[in-house]
Amino acid sequence: MAGNDPNRGSSDLDDRISDAKKRYARGELNADKQAESKGWAVAIEFVGAVLISTFIGWSIDEYAGWDTRPWGMIVMLLLGFAAGVRRAMQTSVQFDSDPTNDKD
């Protein structure tokens, strides 16, 4: 049986290691890492815009002392969401137009 052959597993592992080395030499693994880091950059920019604008709205409500307390935070949350979406779209377009993204 093929499952009992002890040398089969090591040759399969050797094949996978050599394949990974070839892919690394061609830069395919680096491209995957770059794509992942670009995705994280877009996500962090979006979340940052929402959190910062929400904090600004909360600060406005706290220090202004108006009786319309939650509305400053709600308005700034919505503006931050819109700004985050806009910035994420701009960053995505910028990354998509990067000529180093072509993997042929």
Side-chain angles (χ1 to χ4, degrees):
M1 275 208 280
N4 293 335
D5 186 12
N7 292 331
R8 184 177 185 277
S10 64
S11 68
D12 184 41
L13 180 61
D14 291 337
D15 292 341
R16 290 188 350 213
I17 290 173
S18 67
D19 183 48
K21 286 181 180 179
K22 289 176 188 174
R23 287 178 59 207
Y24 181 75
R26 289 191 303 249
E28 291 178 16
L29 297 178
N30 288 337
D32 291 342
K33 290 179 183 177
Q34 289 175 353
E36 181 180 356
S37 66
K38 289 177 181 179
W40 276 106
V42 170
I44 289 171
E45 284 184 2
F46 175 76
V47 171
V50 172
L51 290 178
I52 289 172
S53 64
T54 302
F55 177 74
I56 291 171
W58 176 80
S59 298
I60 289 171
D61 284 340
E62 283 296 312
Y63 296 117
W66 297 325
D67 291 332
T68 60
R69 184 152 295 222
W71 291 107
M73 186 173 70
I74 292 171
V75 168
M76 289 303 291
L77 174 69
L78 293 174
L79 289 175
F81 183 80
V85 168
R86 183 173 185 264
R87 183 65 186 146
M89 301 270 293
Q90 287 176 343
T91 305
S92 296
V93 168
Q94 179 185 4
F95 288 152
D96 288 343
S97 66
D98 188 9
T100 61
N101 285 340
D102 295 334
K103 293 195 305 186
D104 291 329

